[in-house]
Each structure stands twice: as structure tokens, then as C-alpha cells.
Amino acid sequence: DVVIFNYTKIIDGKKNKNRMLFDKLTIIESEEESLLHEKLIENNSYNVLWCKAVKRNLLDLKGFEQFEDLRISEDLLYSISIFSKATRILFENKYLYNYYIHGDSTSRRFRMEHFDDVTAVRKYYLQYLKDQIFDTTVAQEKLLRWYLSYVNRYIRDLVNSQLGREE
């Protein structure tokens, strides 16, 4: 139903291979969905849609209208929807995609509203895990660690942004 593959980030010409979720080719069946979420919380690099090949019938996004104004992090919402319907997910360790990032890109600029978007998506994700009766103790701890690193990066970006340099 879904193939998730590795990718290389190319930032201003410098290649950075993404960290793999599994050491080898791995198939996750629908009854192992909690393992999938545990891995995705540990490494949010695979929450994006452009490292996935998805069966068309899994792309129904009803129920996400409340998030239509998000500017960032919406890929995780779509991934949750896709994974909840998939019966089999294959993790391919081959690097099949190059993701180019330009330093002066508008998507890389600091924006205060991005923090609100990420917070809304992570809150929804944790509630989804609770609703699916996954053991959320570990998930909450991992999400908290991820969130703290995000906040740290956010503060650093704020300090380095034009907003932080206003007179």
C-alpha cells in the first residue's frame, strides 16, 4: 500500500543522507502500526509526503478541514491518515530521492506562525495515538524530546532571524 524510501537532502550543494528508520528492508503490517509510529516519532524526517509512494485509494483526507490553513507540518497529518488505512508499509533503505533546499528559500525563513502550526499538528498526533489505544507513555516521552529540540531550534532561528535583529 505504501513504500517509504530514503532521500538525500542537498542544502546549498552539500549532500546530507537522511538517517534510516530501519537497518534493512522492512515490511510493517497494519497490526504493527504502533511500531511504525514509534519510529516516526523518533525520526520526523519521514513525516513528509515526498519520500512516499502511496496507493491512490489511501489519499482520502476527509476530516482534516480544520487544518487547511496550516503553513507547515501538514504532511504528518496526511501521513497519519494514509498509515491508518494501509495494510502493509514497506521501508526501502535505498536513497531514491534528492531533496534540494536553498538557503534563501522562503520556506526556510523564520516565521512565528510556524510554531503554532507544529504545536497543533503534534497535539493532534498525540490524541490520535491515544484514540488508537497505543501505549502513549513512550510516545509522549519521545514527542516531548522531539518538541524540546524543535523549540531549541526555533529559539536559535529567532535569534538569527531579522525579527531578532530589529532596532
Side-chain angles (χ1 to χ4, degrees):
D1 292 337
V2 179
V3 176
I4 301 176
F5 47 86
N6 280 314
Y7 61 92
T8 302
K9 278 186 186 178
I10 303 174
I11 303 172
D12 294 327
K14 183 180 176 189
K15 291 184 178 184
N16 298 303
K17 292 210 180 244
N18 200 38
R19 184 173 52 114
M20 293 185 261
L21 290 178
F22 296 95
D23 295 333
K24 59 183 185 332
L25 183 82
T26 302
I27 297 174
I28 293 188
E29 304 290 337
S30 58
E31 60 272 5
E32 300 172 299
E33 188 181 355
S34 61
L35 172 63
L36 168 69
H37 290 290
E38 185 178 316
K39 290 291 190 176
L40 291 173
I41 290 169
E42 289 174 2
N43 185 346
N44 70 328
S45 299
Y46 291 91
N47 294 339
V48 295
L49 293 177
W50 41 258
C51 69
K52 297 176 181 79
V54 179
K55 273 182 146 179
R56 181 184 291 222
N57 66 328
L58 299 179
L59 295 175
D60 177 20
L61 300 174
K62 290 179 186 158
F64 289 99
E65 295 83 6
Q66 64 184 346
F67 297 108
E68 66 186 23
D69 293 331
L70 289 177
R71 295 156 294 265
I72 190 171
S73 246
E74 71 281 2
D75 284 6
L76 175 58
L77 295 174
Y78 301 139
S79 293
I80 292 168
S81 175
I82 290 165
F83 297 149
S84 70
K85 297 175 200 134
T87 54
R88 190 175 273 157
I89 299 169
L90 179 119
F91 284 87
E92 172 59 70
N93 283 337
K94 293 178 183 170
Y95 289 86
L96 300 177
Y97 187 77
N98 289 328
Y99 178 59
Y100 290 89
I101 302 172
H102 302 283
D104 61 347
S105 168
T106 57
S107 65
R108 299 205 20 105
R109 292 193 187 132
F110 177 82
R111 288 183 174 36
M112 293 292 287
E113 60 270 9
H114 287 183
F115 189 76
D116 294 334
D117 291 353
V118 168
T119 300
V121 169
R122 297 296 163 175
K123 183 178 178 182
Y124 176 89
Y125 190 27
L126 187 57
Q127 189 60 51
Y128 170 82
L129 295 174
K130 286 179 182 178
D131 292 347
Q132 298 305 312
I133 313 172
F134 293 134
D135 179 8
T136 56
T137 307
V138 173
Q140 283 178 324
E141 184 179 310
K142 289 181 180 190
L143 273 171
L144 178 61
R145 267 190 257 133
W146 177 88
Y147 203 72
L148 287 172
S149 71
Y150 178 78
V151 168
N152 186 37
R153 190 173 67 243
Y154 193 80
I155 291 169
R156 186 188 65 235
D157 289 349
L158 175 61
V159 169
N160 293 328
S161 73
Q162 292 296 331
L163 183 63
R165 295 184 186 142
E166 289 180 5
E167 296 176 16

